[in-house]
């Protein structure tokens, strides 16, 4: 049982870390910054709005990567106890 938790924990940690570190590439490849909803578009200009959308998409992808990584960390802590 502990071996399964160790392997699953490492796999989740690696997948989550790859998602965090390759967030820029993921946002560029899939165009995730195009679909970011903004409620206050009238307060920003062109380049500033584009930069804000890209940054928000990057943060969303990195948060998803961290959410993937978190169960892996818990599994590893339980397995090495």
């Amino acid at each position: 049982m502990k071996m399964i938790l160790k392997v699953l924990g490492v796999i989740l940690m690696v997948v989550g870390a790859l998602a965090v570190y390759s967030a820029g590439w993921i946002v560029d490849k899939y165009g995730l910054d195009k679909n970011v909803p903004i409620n206050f578009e009238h307060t920003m200009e062109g380049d500033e709005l584009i930069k804000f959308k890209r940054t928000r998409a990057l943060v969303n992808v990195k948060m998803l990567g961290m959410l993937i990584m978190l169960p892996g960390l818990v599994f590893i802590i339980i397995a090495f106890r």
Side-chain angles (χ1 to χ4, degrees):
M1 182 66 176
K2 284 192 176 189
M3 188 63 171
I4 293 171
L5 287 177
K6 288 178 186 177
V7 171
L8 190 59
V10 169
I11 289 172
L12 286 173
M13 290 284 290
V14 169
V15 169
L18 285 175
V20 169
Y21 288 120
S22 62
W25 179 78
I26 292 170
V27 168
D28 291 339
K29 178 159 175 67
Y30 295 107
L32 299 177
D33 54 344
K34 308 291 188 261
N35 299 328
V36 174
I38 306 292
N39 295 334
F40 48 89
E41 290 180 3
H42 58 279
T43 61
M44 294 185 192
E45 295 178 7
D47 291 339
E48 189 179 15
L49 184 64
I50 292 170
K51 186 177 178 182
F52 179 77
K53 282 185 171 188
R54 176 166 164 65
T55 304
R56 188 160 173 194
L58 280 171
V59 169
N60 288 341
V61 171
K62 288 185 180 199
M63 288 295 291
L64 181 64
M66 292 301 289
L67 286 174
I68 294 170
M69 195 184 298
L70 185 63
L73 179 65
V74 172
F75 288 162
I76 289 175
I77 289 172
I78 291 171
F80 284 103
R81 206 167 196 203

